[in-house]
Amino acid sequence: MRKIKRFKISPRQKEILRRLVRGGGLLRQAGFTTELEVTKYILEGFATLNPGVVYEFNQDVHWELDAQSTVHKEMFSACAVTLGPALEQWVVRAKEHSPAREITAGTVALEFLKSAISFVTDLVREQAQKEEYEALDPQLVYLPPFGVAAAPKFLRDGVRLEKTLADKILPVLLDKLNASKVDIALQDGNVTPFYTAVFLVPWQKARKKGKK
């Protein structure tokens, strides 16, 4: 079953603001003098988003991702989510302002990407529950380079497939998902738009609760 969605996420401006404030003097170096200015900046970045996702459930060897791995043997949902091209342009403009502004914008952008991945994972989890299965934590196949930005813990410490395997199955996943439906493309090893993530969400049979 394939799902193609344009969706909306929350800007989480208060939560992102608190994270940026913990960065010490970063915001002052970036030219911000008040928290209200930072909040408006976060919402400015949020206004550039054009999120899209494609995801599909697979079982057994349906896609034959890699004969040497266990990936193809699992039940899983494959997902590709993007925030659209305008967000990258917003971060690039920040780089022209100052290194500190670039770090701020990049950090905000990665927080948005975290929200998008969480949103899609929740959709898969709901789908799995309807089938009496459990959706496990995402296995990250592709994330954009963090660069100088401070990536959220969810992206920084999340389970990532081994790079050789990830590089091998990335084009297969994008092709099978028909990711071009949401304007995701792979060119010369680079995924566009820049703020795009590709990941697997494994399924397992839900454990039955013991009788009281």
Side-chain angles (χ1 to χ4, degrees):
M1 60 189 78
R2 176 172 296 149
K3 306 287 185 180
I4 302 171
K5 287 182 178 286
R6 294 288 181 178
F7 61 93
K8 293 182 179 180
I9 59 174
S10 169
R12 298 171 40 245
Q13 66 269 28
K14 292 182 180 179
E15 179 183 340
I16 297 175
L17 172 62
R18 287 195 295 269
R19 185 163 189 266
L20 291 171
V21 168
R22 290 198 297 268
L26 174 66
L27 295 177
R28 184 174 61 254
Q29 295 171 24
F32 297 107
T33 58
T34 67
E35 291 188 358
L36 179 59
E37 288 180 353
V38 182
T39 298
K40 289 182 177 179
Y41 189 65
I42 294 170
L43 293 176
E44 175 187 301
F46 182 75
T48 70
L49 303 188
N50 184 23
V53 60
V54 285
Y55 63 103
E56 186 172 352
F57 172 71
N58 299 272
Q59 186 174 0
D60 301 325
V61 294
H62 180 56
W63 283 1
E64 298 180 356
L65 294 179
D66 181 40
Q68 301 304 315
S69 75
T70 59
V71 175
H72 74 288
K73 298 177 182 178
E74 297 176 350
M75 300 175 63
F76 64 91
S77 287
C79 314
V81 60
T82 184
L83 298 180
L87 180 61
E88 180 183 8
Q89 298 166 10
W90 180 72
V91 175
V92 169
R93 289 195 297 272
K95 183 177 182 179
E96 296 170 354
H97 180 281
S98 68
R101 182 68 68 101
E102 179 189 8
I103 294 172
T104 301
T107 299
V108 171
L110 289 174
E111 288 287 344
F112 292 154
L113 187 61
K114 166 194 169 184
S115 293
I117 295 173
S118 296
F119 176 88
V120 175
T121 301
D122 286 344
L123 290 180
V124 173
R125 185 170 290 113
E126 291 175 4
Q127 182 182 343
Q129 288 175 348
K130 291 178 181 178
E131 303 293 335
E132 298 186 348
Y133 281 81
E134 292 178 293
L136 305 182
D137 292 337
Q139 297 178 354
L140 302 168
V141 177
Y142 173 85
L143 287 175
F146 297 153
V148 296
K153 181 178 175 63
F154 177 78
L155 301 185
R156 188 179 64 250
D157 299 339
V159 176
R160 301 190 69 160
L161 293 190
E162 189 273 326
K163 188 177 185 307
T164 300
L165 174 59
D167 290 345
K168 182 176 181 179
I169 71 172
L170 177 60
V172 177
L173 290 174
L174 294 181
D175 177 63
K176 296 296 186 180
L177 285 169
N178 201 5
S180 60
K181 289 285 188 180
V182 289
D183 302 321
I184 297 174
L186 180 62
Q187 299 176 339
D188 300 323
N190 297 316
V191 175
T192 59
F194 185 85
Y195 289 101
T196 294
V198 181
F199 54 99
L200 307 175
V201 181
W203 291 35
Q204 70 177 14
K205 192 68 177 177
R207 299 175 182 175
K208 294 184 178 180
K209 296 180 179 180
K211 296 182 179 180
K212 292 182 180 181

